[in-house]
Amino acid sequence: MSNQAVPRHSRSGPLGLLNGPYHRTALNLYMVVVLAHWAEHLVQAFQIWVLGWPVPQSRGVLGLAVPWLVTSEWLHYGYAIVMLIGLALLRPGFVGRARTWWTVALAIQFWHHIEHLLLLLQAQTGHFLFDRPVPTSVLQLVFARVELHLFYNTIVFLPMVVAMYLHLRPTPAEQAMMACTCAPRSVRALTPA
């Protein structure tokens, strides 16, 4: 059997529930978190490139209300690990082409998480990599932090969107493998149970 498709009746327990009858709800909640994070990045980008604010004062909406939180590496690492865990936990609900794209997002987020772990460890220990005066991730050697994290969030988000699109529009073969009811009823009606 392919690793792309798992028969719908082979899942049980909490993970089976999460990727079966509660998959749509879990995906919706996960996407609320993802979109809220995106909104923060977009507001920060607007503050920098449209309003002309200096980067340290461009903190998004949350950072204007709670400045110390946004400058904490814990917040950024926390989001990176939540993203990674969400992608991993929700992956079994995807089959076929959608699973491939979701896995791409998971792999990229794994690296994004490593970059944030490096930043967190440097912030906690006071030992900075690459002889830099501040915590620095590997790709920050080439790209500015704001642009780099906009890029990371984009390259994780885009395959997620493709995966969600394909998940909601499965082929008949993919629909037969799905344990969830995420596909619209019109699509489910075309596929025998």
Side-chain angles (χ1 to χ4, degrees):
M1 181 174 301
S2 162
N3 66 354
Q4 291 292 311
V6 177
R8 71 170 66 192
H9 301 295
S10 69
R11 299 180 183 115
S12 61
L15 196 58
L17 290 172
L18 182 66
N19 288 287
Y22 299 111
H23 198 236
R24 179 184 288 261
T25 301
L27 282 173
N28 287 339
L29 290 172
Y30 186 65
M31 289 310 290
V32 166
V33 171
V34 170
L35 292 173
H37 183 77
W38 253 113
E40 282 294 319
H41 276 283
L42 294 176
V43 168
Q44 182 186 37
F46 182 82
Q47 291 167 340
I48 294 168
W49 294 305
V50 176
L51 299 177
W53 293 6
V55 172
Q57 280 73 46
S58 303
R59 300 182 193 115
V61 175
L62 183 60
L64 293 177
V66 191
W68 66 267
L69 184 59
V70 172
T71 59
S72 164
E73 290 299 340
W74 279 107
L75 174 71
H76 301 286
Y77 179 75
Y79 178 76
I81 195 75
V82 165
M83 278 292 295
L84 184 63
I85 291 168
L87 284 163
L89 288 178
L90 294 170
R91 183 176 176 268
F94 290 87
V95 298
R97 302 165 302 151
R99 179 177 274 206
T100 299
W101 284 98
W102 196 261
T103 302
V104 168
L106 175 62
I108 297 167
Q109 182 59 30
F110 179 76
W111 174 253
H112 187 191
H113 154 265
I114 295 297
E115 291 268 88
H116 277 291
L117 180 60
L118 285 173
L119 292 168
L120 177 66
L121 292 173
Q122 291 172 73
Q124 295 304 304
T125 64
H127 297 286
F128 307 136
L129 297 176
F130 315 112
D131 293 324
R132 296 291 179 105
V134 295
T136 305
S137 68
V138 174
L139 288 183
Q140 270 182 263
L141 296 173
V142 181
F143 303 102
R145 184 167 177 161
V146 172
E147 290 85 347
L148 176 60
H149 289 281
L150 276 172
F151 173 73
Y152 272 138
N153 285 292
T154 301
I155 64 170
V156 170
F157 185 68
L158 290 178
M160 283 176 61
V161 170
V162 172
M164 295 282 286
Y165 178 84
L166 294 171
H167 186 63
L168 295 174
R169 289 158 186 79
T171 65
E174 291 167 341
Q175 176 67 36
M177 300 306 292
M178 292 174 71
C180 66
T181 57
C182 292
R185 291 173 206 245
S186 59
V187 173
R188 291 196 313 262
L190 300 174
T191 307

